[in-house]
Every structure is written in structure tokens, then in C-alpha cells.
Amino acid sequence: MFPPNPGSEAIASIGGMVSTNASGHRAVKYGTTRDYIKALKVVLADGTVIETGTTAPKTSLGYDLTHLFTAAEGTLGIITEITVKLEPTPEYGALALAIFGDINAAGDAVTEVTTSGIKLAGCEILDKFSLKVVEEALGRDVSGIEAILIMEADGAKSVVTRDMDRIGEICRKYKVQEFDWTDDPAKREEMMVARGRLVPTLSRIRPGNRLVPIAEDLGVPSTRIPETIRRAQAISEKYNVVIATFGHVGDGNVHTTFVADVRDRENWNRLRPAVEELVETAMEMKGTLSAEHGTGITRAPHIERQLGPAMEVMRKIKQALDPDNILNPGKMGLEKTEKKADIFDHFAFQPVLDHPEGVNSLGREVDDEVLACIHCGFCRLGCPSFSVTQRESRNARGRNALAFYLMNGSITPSAELAESFYSCTTCQACTYFCPAQIKVDEIVEGVREKLYKAGYTPEAVLGVRDNILKTGNVFASAREERIEIYPPALKERVRQGKLPEKARTLLFMGCVPSYLDMKMVPSLIKSLDAAGVDYTVLGAEEGCCGFPLFLMGSDEFESHARQVMEKIRATGATELLTPCAGCYKTFKKIYPQIDDLGLEIYHSVHYLEKLITEGKLKLDKEFAKKVTYHDPCDLGRAFKIFEEPRNILKAIPGVDFVEMARNRLQARCCGGGGGVSANNPDMAVEMGAERVRDALEVGAEIIVSGCAACKDNLRKGAKAIPKKERGKIKVMDITELVARALG
């Protein structure tokens, strides 16, 4: 294993870790990144390439340039190659939880544990502000808890179990409320992942507040931990600011993290002296201003306070290696200026401070979402458009940053901005990879409304709008062609006007199933007829639900939606059934923001599962294939509809169901949503191909979905994969499999 493990390890790069000498909760036993760097290849400012270090077990030759470039934050050279040392994975590990009613008692317990000879692999403390993030992992209400210690040990089983018992004895000495430990790897992983995602989640402590990373990375001797925590609490009370206290206290790393309303000038005025007192606290404790986060801009105002004359040595090294100051200029306080550096020298929030209502507000709730994002980058793990482009402006973090600049007036609507926001599938994957669950889809929708009003909506997207408003469908097809896909008997009844005037169930087919797909509508109707369902259809009078208008930010959406509502209500139906995931989301989530449709909304997966469960559909015909299910974003993440389609597939005889690695909330988007298929069809197909490869990895022969747009784009994605690689994989809608199983 590579022991250094920052909280962001899922997205951290090795270059970033080396450049900041990053570490994590295992540093108490294993040390920091620099302890595992054997050699580097570095390009200097003048183009010279040097190699530092050696793979030999030890060396004492010359200056230790390897460690010089480690933590230099790119100010001395560009690291292009890194040789690291790995450690054997420990044979056994355990994790202890100690719950305290007093954070000071928890700090005292830590000090005794870490000075007692026990070799902890990790030791974390979380105060009452930080605890909410691990509430689910704990499986309990944390509102009455003041502090929790999370302590890990690894190594020989006999030693670890002995140490766990000793830790329990020490904690009881300091009146621990509860103490327990586990060696269950899954439970340990769940807890440490939750802890690792704590920092971004702090922005959710209060609406409109966000984490402010200033003086948040103090390092003090282990024996001074209790005093440091007490001082931080006193500073918080003195200046009436929120300071969430947590960190890797086993190695003296205390994160004193501010959470502030960035639109409140008084909040900032109180924060400034609080920062100065925290800095003074670290110095009094003979500690450091940054234990693992690095210097950058944030620590620049105070770095000389800690380093003294050594700062001049650093400047001379910088001058020698980078005389023209081209490597990461402006960082680490290396440039002397007449004006003393200040914590607000690079203040991003001045526009929102001057205009707390928002210069170009997206609405208070959406503005709060924009401000809550701390740009940590966890969203990169889930974003489909970033996956195929590797461009920051095609990722949730980049889009949120652009939304912030638009909101505060730093940028204005433009064609370039539109390309960033109309390349988003609004799939919400970023939200569920984000520890704070920022509602990026709502941010994107808010910005698109601004772009639409400013006239920057892409032409291809406007073409879809025109098709809907002129012909009632996204394809500009004739209205009467909407029923061509109906089974002959139903089609004839529609043409002769023999449909029942009133029926309990209204089938709303959707544009893609009606005009583009040849199998979904007949398959659904076959199942409903077999179950004896009393239904009617709008036939050629059915029009687009308007979802694409909503997605593009069009102000025509509401009036269009009201027309559709009127047609639906005229049928007198008490329930509406649709096989289209986009239509389902529109009727279930978006229409209620305008008016109440007054009937129950079902997607075909709900309805078919109900009919199967009630015994009205008998699935007798075997389908002997290896099948996987792709969760449509508009069903899965939007409504948590996960088990119904899987239950249906498992009820079909012969189906060998396999699950893709990314499924349910973390399912990869097919790439076909959000208007991307119209605006950038090539990128949509690339995203579709990535999802098909997920299915190929688990040996699936059939990809099943519950969304016509997903089916269409996955088929295109499959065709984009070389035939030798894709084999004979097929894409089907769940209605098709049910119809086949009926015989």
C-alpha cells in the first residue's frame, strides 16, 4: 500500500500530493508523502531536466533535493516522474469509536493514548459541528454528542486487540459515554470514507454558509492538543464565529475550520481577528500553520511569522532556480512586496459581499447551492461529460465556478459559457458523488435560463424548441405519424374515434417511443392488454410533454405545459402511465411547480411490477441471457426508482442478472439527456460508449433500461465501439423483455 491518504484520496493526484507533502489520518503511524518519495525527475525553469534521489535503501550524497522539491508547490520546478516506496498491507486492522459528552475530555484521552506507547494507525476527532457527516455511518442520532474519537490500529492481531482494550481503559478514565471497536473491514471503510468527505459537507451546516479555509490546518505537539481545542472554542465564542474542530489529532493536526455566511460583512469582520488569534495559538504551542494542506496563498500572510529569517533562504533558492518567476508565481509568500500580505488579498467574495442579494442572482436557493460548493473535485468521479473531455469547464466543479462568476457579475453570458452549460446532461451523478450533495442540475438549469434570455442558447437546441412548438414533437414529424407505431387494432380504433371517452388509465407514450423506437409502445400495450387494463390514449393529439423546453431554460415551457395539462385532464383519467423516463420526471416533479395534474403518475416499471405482483401478468417464457440494468437518471437519481426494474428482470425465467460496477445512485449516465444529444451528438455517443463498456466488463449480453432516450443513445454508443470489442451486445427497454416473457 501507499500509506499517505488525504481525505481527498479518491480524487487526489500523486503530483499534487508530492507538491504539498500531503498526508491523512494514517500519518500518525506512517508519516507523510515525503517519507515515501525515493526519487524525482524535475524540469527546471530554464528547461534543464534533473533527477533527484535514488532507489537504493539509503544515500547521504549531496543536498536532499528530493525533499526540497517535495512541498515546493511547483514554485521551483515541474515534477514529471515520481518513484515511490510502498509498504506491505497490514495483516489485521481494527477501528474504535469513543463518544464523549465533553470535547476537552476527548482531547485529554487522545493525549494519553498517543503518549502511552500505543501505535495508532489513525486517530481522528470530530466536534459537534462535524458529526453530522458521519451520522449515517454511525447509524444513530448525533445531536446529543459533543465529540467522537475514531481510532485505528493495524499490524499483528494479538497486538491490535490488546491495544484496543488499552484504548478502552484510557477512554473510560476520561468518562467516555460509549466505547466500542470493530475489525469488520466494511464498517471501518464506511466510517473512514465518511470522515474523508467531511470537509466539503461543512458547507451544509447552515443554508447560505460555506467552509472558509483560513487557519484551518494547525499542527501542534500531541501534548498540546487539549489546550489547542480549548483555545479554538474560546476564540469561536469570543468572536461569534463557527469553528468546526476536527482532524488527525493523533499526529497533532487540528483542523479549525471556519463556516461563514460569505454575504455577511459582519461575519468577515469577526473572522479576521479570530484568524489572527488562531495563528498566535499555533505559534505559542510551538506548532505549525500548515501540517498537511500546504502554503499556497492562504498561509502567505503568516508564513514569515513562523519561518523568520529562513524565509529569505527560501527566496534565494527561488531566485536561483526561477529568476524570471515563471513557476507558480504569487504563491508561498516568496515575492517581496511593499504592502504586507493580508488574508483578504485574494478575496473572491467581494462582489457578493457588496451585493448580498446577488448581482445576477439565480434565485436565493440556487445561489446558496453555488456558494456551498468548495470546488473539492469529488464530482469528477461521476461526471460523464468530464470523463470523455477531461475539461474542467465540462465538469460540475468548473460549471459551479462559472455560475459563481456569472452570479457575482465577473462574467456575462456568452457563446463559450453556453457550450459549458449545454454540454451537461443534468444527470445528477455529480450530486451523489459530492459529499455535500450540491444540486448542480438546478445550478445548470438556472444558468441556462439566463443564457436563453440573453440569446445564447445553441442553434441546435433552439431547433428542438421550434419543432415542439410547431409540430408537437422533438423530431418535427407529422402529428398523425405519432400513432403509426400503435398495434393495428388500436390504431384503427384511434382513427375511427372509437376510443372510450373516459378511462381509468391514460397512456402517455412520449416522443421517442412514438416516433423513433419501434418496439416499446407495442410491447407495453401487449402487456396491458394481457392484464386487462382499462386504458385510453391521446393518439395524434398527444404532444411533447415539454421537458426539452424546461431543460433548455425556455420561457415557453409553462404555457406549453398548461396546454398539455388541459388535454390530460379532459380524459378524466385517474392515473397516467408512461414508458418515457423524461415524461415521468416532467409530470411527477416539474408540472407540480406549475399546477396539480390531479392524477397518479406511473412509469412503466412501477406499473408492470404491480401487475406481475398482483398475478395479472404471467411471465412464463424463458429468456436465457445475461442481462444488466442501466439506471436512467430521470428515474434513478431523480426518484430513487431502483428495485422495481430489477424485481421485474429477476421475475423473468432464465434471466441471469448481473450488476454493473456503477449502479443505482452512482450509475454512469448514458449521455443522452439534458439536450446534449441535440447540442453535441458526438460527445453524447462517446458517453454512451463508456456506459456500454461498463456492461461489457461484467459480461452482459443485454443492456436493459427504462428510458427511451437511454436506449437510443446506448445503441449508438454500442455501434461506436469496434465490433470485435462489443460482440453481439444488445440494448432493450424493459417493456420488451416483459412482452417477450408473456409468450
Side-chain angles (χ1 to χ4, degrees):
M1 70 176 185
F2 183 62
N5 63 324
S8 59
E9 63 181 320
I11 53 169
S13 66
I14 186 66
M17 289 180 66
V18 171
S19 292
T20 57
N21 188 32
S23 60
H25 75 272
R26 287 200 292 253
V28 61
K29 179 176 181 178
Y30 292 101
T32 66
T33 297
R34 67 156 50 103
D35 298 314
Y36 296 88
I37 306 306
K38 297 291 292 180
L40 299 173
K41 182 179 284 187
V42 183
V43 181
L44 302 182
D46 64 0
T48 302
V49 179
I50 65 170
E51 295 185 4
T52 74
T54 174
T55 55
K58 62 180 182 178
T59 179
S60 61
L61 185 67
Y63 290 141
D64 189 350
L65 296 180
T66 301
H67 281 173
L68 174 64
F69 286 102
T70 301
E73 300 183 14
T75 60
L76 302 180
I78 299 171
I79 299 171
T80 60
E81 189 175 297
I82 303 165
T83 303
V84 302
K85 177 178 68 174
L86 302 180
E87 292 285 340
T89 302
E91 67 173 67
Y92 181 77
L95 178 144
L97 281 179
I99 297 174
F100 289 86
D102 179 2
I103 193 170
N104 295 312
D108 292 335
V110 168
T111 300
E112 183 161 341
V113 169
T114 56
T115 56
S116 67
I118 295 173
K119 286 289 185 182
L120 289 175
C123 183
E124 301 289 299
I125 191 168
L126 286 80
D127 73 356
K128 61 185 177 183
F129 292 114
S130 313
L131 280 170
K132 271 291 179 183
V133 75
V134 295
E135 186 169 37
E136 185 175 338
L138 282 170
R140 59 174 294 167
D141 178 20
V142 298
S143 56
I145 300 173
E146 286 296 312
I148 281 184
L149 292 179
I150 306 172
M151 292 167 281
E152 276 195 299
D154 60 28
K157 184 174 182 178
S158 59
V159 175
V160 172
T161 54
R162 181 200 67 196
D163 286 347
M164 285 288 127
D165 291 338
R166 289 176 62 199
I167 292 168
E169 291 173 9
I170 293 170
C171 288
R172 282 186 279 274
K173 177 179 173 182
Y174 291 95
K175 296 183 170 51
V176 67
Q177 292 179 346
E178 294 180 35
F179 178 85
D180 195 13
W181 66 273
T182 179
D183 58 4
D184 180 354
K187 188 64 179 175
R188 290 169 56 208
E189 177 72 9
E190 180 185 13
M191 184 59 66
M192 295 319 297
V193 166
R195 160 59 187 93
R197 291 172 169 244
L198 165 63
V199 174
T201 312
L202 291 174
S203 291
R204 291 302 197 188
I205 287 178
R206 293 175 183 168
N209 282 227
R210 84 190 301 274
L211 173 152
V212 180
I214 306 176
E216 86 300 344
D217 190 35
L218 308 183
V220 299
S222 295
T223 54
R224 309 299 295 273
I225 290 168
E227 188 179 353
T228 303
I229 292 173
R230 283 190 281 270
R231 288 280 291 273
Q233 286 182 313
I235 292 167
S236 174
E237 291 177 13
K238 178 179 178 180
Y239 294 104
N240 188 26
V241 292
V242 175
I243 300 179
T245 305
F246 59 96
H248 323 303
V249 290
D251 57 12
N253 192 181
V254 182
H255 295 312
T256 47
T257 305
F258 292 99
V259 180
D261 182 349
V262 297
R263 289 171 288 207
D264 183 351
R265 192 179 300 275
E266 278 304 308
N267 217 175
W268 286 110
N269 290 340
R270 295 194 304 273
L271 188 143
R272 182 192 291 275
V275 169
E276 297 304 323
E277 288 203 25
L278 283 174
V279 168
E280 190 60 35
T281 296
M283 295 300 94
E284 285 182 24
M285 303 292 176
K286 305 297 182 185
T288 179
L289 300 179
S290 184
E292 63 180 10
H293 291 174
T295 307
I297 294 172
T298 305
R299 248 66 69 180
H302 301 107
I303 187 171
E304 209 149 359
R305 170 81 173 79
Q306 178 178 331
L307 298 184
M311 195 66 210
E312 284 306 313
V313 176
M314 286 176 55
R315 289 183 176 125
K316 288 175 181 177
I317 294 171
K318 170 71 170 175
Q319 178 63 26
L321 293 179
D322 182 20
D324 296 324
N325 194 27
I326 63 172
L327 297 173
N328 205 11
K331 305 301 191 299
M332 301 180 75
L334 292 168
E335 299 160 28
K336 270 195 167 181
T337 58
E338 292 184 8
K339 178 179 173 291
K340 186 180 182 298
D342 184 81
I343 61 171
F344 296 147
D345 279 348
H346 302 274
F347 189 49
F349 300 103
Q350 193 64 50
V352 294
L353 197 60
D354 294 339
H355 301 277
E357 74 287 352
V359 174
N360 195 14
S361 176
L362 303 172
R364 181 72 185 204
E365 289 186 6
V366 178
D367 289 354
D368 285 350
E369 292 299 307
V370 173
L371 293 174
C373 175
I374 67 163
H375 308 146
C376 65
F378 276 100
C379 51
R380 284 178 161 208
L381 298 172
C383 180
S385 55
F386 178 76
S387 182
V388 298
T389 64
Q390 295 296 299
R391 292 180 62 186
E392 194 64 25
S393 64
R394 301 299 185 266
N395 177 49
R397 176 169 68 176
R399 292 185 181 110
N400 288 354
L402 291 170
F404 174 72
Y405 296 134
L406 179 68
M407 186 181 88
N408 70 22
S410 299
I411 62 174
T412 57
S414 66
E416 186 179 15
L417 189 67
E419 272 308 306
S420 174
F421 282 88
Y422 283 97
S423 65
C424 175
T425 65
T426 64
C427 69
Q428 295 180 269
C430 50
T431 296
Y432 290 98
F433 277 87
C434 170
Q437 296 199 355
I438 305 297
K439 298 172 184 174
V440 181
D441 60 321
E442 295 183 10
I443 295 172
V444 169
E445 288 155 9
V447 173
R448 285 182 177 182
E449 287 180 12
K450 299 283 186 184
L451 291 166
Y452 187 91
K453 288 176 182 175
Y456 286 102
T457 302
E459 285 298 321
V461 177
L462 291 177
V464 174
R465 175 202 63 184
D466 295 342
N467 291 346
I468 293 171
L469 298 180
K470 291 175 183 176
T471 67
N473 64 82
V474 297
F475 303 109
S477 298
R479 294 179 187 273
E480 56 270 18
E481 291 178 11
R482 187 176 279 273
I483 66 171
E484 288 302 311
I485 196 62
Y486 286 11
L490 177 60
K491 189 192 310 181
E492 192 60 28
R493 287 165 60 203
V494 172
R495 285 175 174 164
Q496 293 180 8
K498 293 184 178 180
L499 286 173
E501 290 186 11
K502 302 288 182 181
R504 181 171 179 269
T505 305
L506 170 66
L507 302 191
F508 195 97
M509 306 303 188
C511 295
V512 178
S514 297
Y515 289 103
L516 191 64
D517 193 278
M518 301 298 293
K519 296 181 179 179
M520 287 177 61
V521 171
S523 296
L524 177 60
I525 289 174
K526 178 181 178 181
S527 297
L528 297 180
D529 287 344
V533 175
D534 172 32
Y535 64 84
T536 189
V537 295
L538 291 173
E541 291 302 308
E542 181 185 310
C544 177
C545 68
F547 190 35
L549 297 176
F550 174 82
L551 289 172
M552 70 180 71
S554 169
D555 50 16
E556 290 100 341
F557 170 69
E558 183 173 337
S559 59
H560 178 85
R562 290 190 182 279
Q563 292 175 21
V564 177
M565 286 181 182
E566 191 175 328
K567 288 183 181 180
I568 291 172
R569 289 181 181 132
T571 67
T574 58
E575 60 184 29
L576 182 150
L577 168 61
T578 179
C580 175
C583 291
Y584 177 79
K585 181 178 180 179
T586 305
F587 295 140
K588 189 77 174 177
K589 183 178 181 181
I590 304 172
Y591 274 23
Q593 298 170 25
I594 300 171
D595 202 355
D596 183 7
L597 256 178
L599 70 171
E600 287 294 317
I601 311 296
Y602 292 97
H603 185 269
S604 53
V605 295
H606 294 124
Y607 216 83
L608 292 174
E609 188 202 28
K610 182 165 75 81
L611 294 176
I612 293 167
T613 303
E614 292 172 352
K616 295 179 180 178
L617 285 180
K618 304 293 185 183
L619 307 183
D620 299 321
K621 190 174 180 181
E622 187 176 86
F623 188 72
K625 296 286 184 181
K626 187 173 282 191
V627 175
T628 192
Y629 181 73
H630 165 73
D631 292 285
C633 307
D634 290 335
L635 293 183
R637 280 182 283 267
F639 296 101
K640 313 299 185 292
I641 299 170
F642 298 124
E643 303 315 314
E644 294 93 332
R646 288 169 171 82
N647 292 340
I648 292 171
L649 293 175
K650 291 172 184 177
I652 297 174
V655 164
D656 179 9
F657 183 75
V658 292
E659 197 76 81
M660 285 184 273
R662 284 184 56 178
N663 60 77
R664 295 175 172 83
L665 284 176
Q666 295 194 337
R668 192 192 302 272
C669 173
C670 78
V676 177
S677 289
N679 183 48
N680 194 332
D682 291 341
M683 188 173 80
V685 171
E686 282 187 74
M687 291 186 276
E690 282 204 333
R691 188 53 168 163
V692 173
R693 286 191 170 96
D694 289 343
L696 291 171
E697 282 183 9
V698 295
E701 299 171 275
I702 308 288
I703 304 173
V704 174
S705 190
C707 171
C710 289
K711 178 185 173 183
D712 178 54
N713 205 56
L714 288 171
R715 290 178 69 184
K716 292 173 182 174
K719 289 179 181 178
I721 298 172
K723 191 171 183 179
K724 186 176 180 181
E725 181 186 351
R726 74 172 185 259
K728 295 182 178 180
I729 195 164
K730 292 183 179 180
V731 184
M732 300 175 69
D733 187 77
I734 198 162
T735 54
E736 297 173 56
L737 262 70
V738 172
R740 279 185 177 224
L742 292 174

